[in-house]
Amino acid sequence: MTAKVTVIDHPLIQHKLTLMRQIQTSTGKFRQLLKEIGMLLAYEVTRDLPLKYEAIETPIAHMNAPMLAASKKIVIISIMRAGQGLLESILELIPSARVGHIGLYRDPTTLMAIEYYFKVPQDIGQRDVLVVDPMLATGNSAVAAVDRLKEVNPKSIKFLCLLAAPEGIKHFHQQHPDVQIYTAAVDEGLDDRGYIVPGLGDAGDRLYGTM
């Protein structure tokens, strides 16, 4: 794996991911597991957030205590619709983060991403961006999203997904070699429909019960 791909293989994440993969897992359980994994993944993705020190008073003594530096402004960009599952869990950890949305759908014939919605904070040029989408399959949606975001020039971009395929990683980094990918697993590859194998099916359909 390249230096620009971080596989977060914590045992809790891997266990929950296995439960998500199973065909018999209900919509409600799938949704809950995605929320739990999203929070666990967010710990790793935010590992490099800078800290500042402030004087506080505990019940015992005064101390200089670490807090997140206010200068680190984050915006979470959800690739709709499946990205919403990861977005909601990360917002529970970082409620002060701004949010943006990119609506993309995959053409069933060409597998190319087609944009239908784009809304991001006006001050995105002063912010670090975390793009979230459960699946990095062909990489077309991720590439299209980052292409669009680079037009508005954020300070930095990271990409977070639940599962990735080698083909998607290769395609994404051919177009955006500067963007770090964070994922819970890299699977075997893609089938002839562009789905990740063994994967977990269509994340959006399983998240919202639209199969």
Side-chain angles (χ1 to χ4, degrees):
M1 201 53 57
T2 70
K4 281 292 183 178
V5 179
T6 300
V7 178
I8 306 170
D9 58 356
H10 190 284
L12 283 175
I13 293 175
Q14 298 306 312
H15 171 76
K16 293 176 186 297
L17 178 56
T18 294
L19 296 177
M20 291 183 73
R21 290 183 188 271
Q22 295 173 350
I23 192 171
Q24 66 267 30
T25 298
S26 68
T27 297
K29 185 64 174 177
F30 187 93
R31 189 178 297 140
Q32 179 62 34
L33 288 164
L34 181 57
K35 179 179 179 180
E36 294 170 359
I37 289 181
M39 296 179 80
L40 292 168
L41 292 172
Y43 283 117
E44 183 65 33
V45 177
T46 56
R47 181 179 293 275
D48 61 351
L49 289 180
L51 295 172
K52 63 179 180 178
Y53 286 81
E54 291 189 359
I56 68 165
E57 184 177 354
T58 79
I60 307 300
H62 295 279
M63 69 173 290
N64 285 322
M67 299 184 71
L68 288 177
S71 60
K72 189 72 169 182
K73 297 180 179 179
I74 297 174
V75 56
I76 305 165
I77 303 291
S78 169
I79 299 179
M80 298 191 294
R81 60 184 168 147
Q84 295 297 106
L86 287 172
L87 167 66
E88 292 168 8
S89 60
I90 297 171
L91 279 178
E92 290 201 16
L93 289 179
I94 317 173
S96 62
R98 297 287 179 89
V99 174
H101 293 90
I102 301 177
L104 298 168
Y105 70 90
R106 185 167 68 169
D107 184 286
T109 302
T110 66
L111 304 183
M112 296 304 295
I114 299 173
E115 180 185 312
Y116 63 89
Y117 186 79
F118 182 83
K119 186 74 171 179
V120 299
Q122 290 186 346
D123 66 347
I124 195 168
Q126 303 170 34
R127 292 180 177 270
D128 297 282
V129 163
L130 175 61
V131 182
V132 297
D133 191 2
M135 314 297 277
L136 179 61
T138 62
N140 291 334
S141 293
V143 168
V146 175
D147 281 345
R148 193 74 162 85
L149 286 167
K150 285 187 174 180
E151 293 177 7
V152 294
N153 198 32
K155 290 175 64 178
S156 69
I157 301 175
K158 294 178 180 178
F159 184 86
L160 172 64
C161 60
L162 188 62
L163 288 181
E167 297 95 326
I169 293 172
K170 180 180 179 181
H171 176 49
F172 182 82
H173 276 154
Q174 284 174 341
Q175 303 300 315
H176 299 292
D178 56 315
V179 177
Q180 183 81 24
I181 295 171
Y182 295 82
T183 184
V186 178
D187 276 10
E188 296 171 11
L190 300 176
D191 65 12
D192 56 5
R193 298 178 300 161
Y195 283 94
I196 297 176
V197 179
L200 49 73
D202 185 294
D205 283 342
R206 297 198 66 188
L207 182 63
Y208 296 111
T210 53
M211 292 177 291

